[in-house]
Amino acid sequence: MKREKTPLLRNGAVQSLLASLLCVLIGLLVGYVVLLVINPAGAGEAIVTIVKNFMTYSKPSAQLKYLGSTLVKTAPLLMCSLSVLFAYKVGLFNIGAAGQYVVGAGASLYCALAWGMPWYVCLLAAIVAGAALGAISGLLKAYCNVNEVISCIMLNWISLYLVNMLLSLVKESASPYTMTLSSTNPGAILPSMGLEKLFNDNKYVTIAIPLAILVAILIWVLLEKTKLGYELKATGCNKFAAKYCGMKEKKNLILTMAIAGGLAGMGAAMLFLTGFEQWQCTQSSVPAMGFNGIAAAFLGGLSPIGTILSSYFIQHITNGGAYVDKTMYSAQISDFISALIIYLCSFVLFFKQFMSSRVARKEERERERLAAQEAAAAQTDAANGEGGGK
């Protein structure tokens, strides 16, 4: 029996890829139109500059150095996207990745600057802090039926101001920023293991980059190849059915949010323990990294492997905007175009559903056509049989 070929657009990976590319192209197109409205003379060059990012430099050594800087900020974004993705796979929306990222930064920096701990202890502290904050939302969801979105949003702001107060104890006397790791505790900086030589001695390139990729692979294995992953996803689909089947649905909800929080907290440590940035103790807004993780998760088709590429692309576009000619355009134009693309990431699932419905309608019409042909053939055969009988 001949096996019927599955249409290419039925494949989930193909749908995710096409939907993501469509969102990116629409975002760039809308951004280009906005640039045309502001100043037509430099619109084409500006949009190309944003896409090129570090390729705007002519020297390969400079390109490698700034590629490394892009990758340094890709690692924490990837961890935040994995945090959002993991919770979403279990039926939860972890909008609290931003707050979990904040407490991860606070725990890692305080351990490094106040207590002089080595990098691995600081990294572990960030994971534990993020997991604890995530577990609070999980507990409220499991035992009090508090919507995780509400609890996470409230905890985001609580976390921000608590961390600001905590890190003000280890800030520089003449500025609102925390002390530098290189001068205070070099042992807290993540090791590079020679990776910096690949990027023209960019000292900020550390094991955070390969470690983030490894975590993405482990999350895929956990969700798709383990019993625990199956139970977590089953709980997300229907916690009552999961409970009926003997699964501990409350435990699974708490565990999911704890793992998601740990991932976001780990992401913060992967950035701040490189020395690439210092924490500003007077900031009044939650860092965008956690919210950008939502866009990266959906742009990656809610696949742990896809988020590796989508996280890099979002960071690539964001960094590329810094090279736009500021004499023609406002400094905020790069953030605006990045925000456009990030906003359009929310339409990935819509485009996937649209492609599935189009394929389904096409298959339905094909089945109706074949059925009509078979009916006509049957009528013809019957007519021929009656004619032969006479």
Side-chain angles (χ1 to χ4, degrees):
M1 184 177 177
K2 188 177 179 181
R3 187 175 179 181
E4 190 175 331
K5 292 178 68 175
T6 304
L8 190 62
L9 287 179
R10 276 289 191 192
N11 187 288
V14 173
Q15 285 185 351
S16 297
L17 177 62
L18 292 177
S20 299
L21 289 175
L22 186 58
C23 288
V24 169
L25 290 174
I26 294 174
L28 291 174
L29 179 61
V30 175
Y32 176 64
V33 171
V34 172
L35 291 171
L36 281 174
V37 172
I38 297 172
N39 190 338
E45 183 181 353
I47 200 72
V48 170
T49 299
I50 290 172
V51 175
K52 288 173 70 175
N53 187 3
F54 56 86
M55 294 299 292
T56 54
Y57 294 96
S58 57
K59 294 182 178 180
S61 57
Q63 292 176 358
L64 284 173
K65 181 177 181 179
Y66 287 98
L67 168 60
S69 297
T70 301
L71 291 174
V72 167
K73 295 200 74 172
T74 298
L77 179 58
L78 173 57
M79 297 303 297
C80 288
S81 67
L82 289 173
S83 173
V84 174
L85 177 151
F86 189 84
Y88 195 86
K89 287 284 189 180
V90 190
L92 300 170
F93 187 52
N94 184 26
I95 201 172
Q100 294 145 16
Y101 177 87
V102 167
V103 296
S108 60
L109 287 174
Y110 192 79
C111 286
L113 299 173
W115 296 339
M117 296 293 182
W119 67 269
Y120 49 88
V121 175
C122 299
L123 183 65
L124 182 61
I127 296 171
V128 172
L133 190 67
I136 293 173
S137 294
L139 284 164
L140 292 172
K141 175 73 173 181
Y143 290 100
C144 303
N145 199 28
V146 175
N147 188 287
E148 72 276 6
V149 173
I150 296 174
S151 63
C152 283
I153 291 174
M154 298 298 103
L155 287 171
N156 284 347
W157 294 102
I158 294 171
S159 303
L160 175 66
Y161 296 121
L162 283 176
V163 168
N164 279 348
M165 289 189 291
L166 177 67
L167 294 184
S168 64
L169 302 175
V170 290
K171 78 176 186 68
E172 296 174 340
S173 58
S175 78
Y177 293 95
T178 53
M179 293 181 285
T180 59
L181 291 176
S182 57
S183 62
T184 308
N185 182 14
I189 298 176
L190 293 170
S192 62
M193 294 187 175
L195 289 174
E196 80 282 0
K197 296 178 181 178
L198 299 175
F199 299 94
N200 194 29
D201 291 327
N202 187 331
K203 65 179 181 179
Y204 301 114
V205 176
T206 65
I207 60 169
I209 298 166
L211 185 59
I213 295 173
L214 177 62
V215 171
I217 296 171
L218 291 176
I219 291 297
W220 178 81
V221 172
L222 173 63
L223 288 172
E224 303 298 332
K225 304 295 180 182
T226 65
K227 177 185 175 183
L228 175 61
Y230 175 80
E231 288 191 1
L232 293 177
K233 290 190 291 184
T235 303
C237 291
N238 192 322
K239 65 179 182 180
F240 301 108
K243 182 179 180 180
Y244 181 78
C245 293
M247 300 177 189
K248 298 179 180 179
E249 84 288 357
K250 292 182 179 179
K251 175 187 173 183
N252 288 342
L253 288 174
I254 299 167
L255 181 62
T256 297
M257 289 302 296
I259 293 174
L263 291 170
M266 186 179 183
M270 285 182 173
L271 178 64
F272 288 98
L273 293 183
T274 62
F276 189 80
E277 285 187 8
Q278 297 165 265
W279 183 269
Q280 183 180 353
C281 300
T282 57
Q283 61 181 310
S284 58
S285 60
V286 181
M289 191 70 76
F291 297 118
N292 289 350
I294 299 172
F298 283 93
L299 186 62
L302 293 173
S303 164
I305 307 304
T307 55
I308 298 174
L309 299 175
S310 62
S311 297
Y312 172 78
F313 175 77
I314 288 178
Q315 198 56 56
H316 181 95
I317 292 294
T318 303
N319 282 22
Y323 301 111
V324 173
D325 188 351
K326 300 302 187 297
T327 61
M328 288 188 173
Y329 301 100
S330 166
Q332 284 77 31
I333 194 66
S334 60
D335 295 329
F336 174 74
I337 293 175
S338 301
L340 275 176
I341 295 172
I342 290 171
Y343 173 76
L344 285 165
C345 292
S346 61
F347 290 89
V348 168
L349 294 182
F350 168 77
F351 288 131
K352 287 179 67 175
Q353 186 178 6
F354 176 75
M355 283 186 279
S356 296
S357 63
R358 289 294 298 270
V359 171
R361 285 198 296 268
K362 184 177 180 181
E363 290 177 344
E364 183 63 27
R365 287 195 298 268
E366 184 65 19
R367 283 194 295 268
E368 290 175 356
R369 186 182 66 81
L370 291 175
Q373 287 180 349
E374 291 175 0
Q379 289 178 357
T380 302
D381 291 343
N384 290 338
E386 291 176 3
K390 292 178 180 178

